Amino acid sequence: MRLRAFSRHAVRAVRRVDTGADRDDGAPMISQAAGGVSGGHPPGEVSIAFNLGSLRQLRCVVATIAQAHALGWIADLLVLIVHEIAANAIVHGGGRGRLRLWMETGQVRCQVTDHGPGFPADQRGTPPHPSRSATGGRGLWLAYQFCQVEIHTGSGGTTVDLAIPAWPHRPSPGAPSGRSCRIRRGHPR
C-alpha cells in the first residue's frame, strides 16, 4: 500500500476545525507544509498547536486526516494514541504542545512536542504495563504496543516521535509489531 502526502481535500476539511490553541489574533493555527521537504518539513505535513481547551478538536483533526486516507482500523488507533500523547504534553509539559502529522510510505508519522521540564531520569525507557486500578500511565504504554517510539527529552521539553504502520487489516495475534524504542537526552531544536 502506497501512502501519499495529505490530500488538499483532507487539509481543507481539517482547516474547518478551529482548535484555537495558538490564536490571539484570529490567525490560523493549522498549517500544511509545501510540496517539498525544504526546511525539514515533509511534504503534506500538518502542524497543529493544542492545549487543554482544544484537545477534543485535535482528535477531530486527526480523525479527519485518517479517514481521508482510508486508514481503516488504524484511524481509531491513531486518534487514541495521539490523544494520549497530547494529553501527556498538556499535563506534564507546560499545558500546551504541537502535533506534526504526515504520511510516509507504509506508515503514519507524528511528533508531539511540549516545552516542559523533560522526563525524569527514573521514568525513561519502556513503561511497564499499567495495573487495572491505575488512574494513569496508559498513554506511552499504548504507544509502545503499536508504534515505533523515539523520545527526545531535556530541560527544554520533550518530543515524542511515533511511526505507526498503516496496516490495511488488523495484524493477527502474535504477529510482530515492528516497534522499537530509543530515548535520547537533549531536545531537538
Side-chain angles (χ1 to χ4, degrees):
M1 175 164 92
R2 173 127 166 77
L3 297 176
R4 311 174 304 282
F6 294 119
S7 67
R8 289 183 196 156
H9 170 74
V11 172
R12 277 194 303 270
V14 166
R15 286 190 176 156
R16 287 192 291 265
V17 180
D18 178 11
T19 67
D22 255 4
R23 296 172 42 133
D24 293 331
D25 61 354
M29 50 68 59
I30 298 174
S31 61
Q32 182 183 25
V37 185
S38 62
H41 297 284
E45 172 193 305
V46 175
S47 179
I48 308 160
F50 62 86
N51 60 27
L52 181 59
S54 64
L55 201 52
R56 184 180 70 79
Q57 290 90 350
L58 180 71
R59 288 192 306 268
C60 292
V61 167
V62 174
T64 298
I65 291 169
Q67 291 167 0
H69 288 278
L71 293 179
W73 74 279
I74 292 294
D76 292 334
L77 182 62
L78 177 65
V79 170
L80 178 61
I81 290 172
V82 167
H83 171 265
E84 289 294 324
I85 301 303
N88 285 348
I90 291 167
V91 171
H92 305 291
R96 62 188 174 93
R98 177 161 296 277
L99 168 71
R100 293 176 54 219
L101 187 64
W102 67 97
M103 306 296 281
E104 286 183 2
T105 302
Q107 61 186 353
V108 179
R109 298 292 310 268
C110 61
Q111 183 180 77
V112 176
T113 302
D114 66 48
H115 299 286
F119 272 54
D122 65 338
Q123 293 181 10
R124 296 180 185 165
T126 305
H129 187 287
S131 72
R132 293 184 200 270
S133 61
T135 58
R138 288 179 175 78
L140 272 174
W141 177 82
L142 182 65
Y144 278 99
Q145 303 312 301
F146 292 97
C147 307
Q148 291 180 347
V149 178
E150 187 170 329
I151 300 173
H152 305 271
T153 190
S155 60
T158 298
T159 297
V160 178
D161 287 306
L162 304 170
I164 304 168
W167 296 306
H169 306 288
R170 291 181 190 261
S172 59
S177 67
R179 63 186 174 170
S180 66
C181 167
R182 283 190 292 186
I183 296 185
R184 297 182 179 167
R185 289 192 54 84
H187 193 268
R189 297 280 176 193

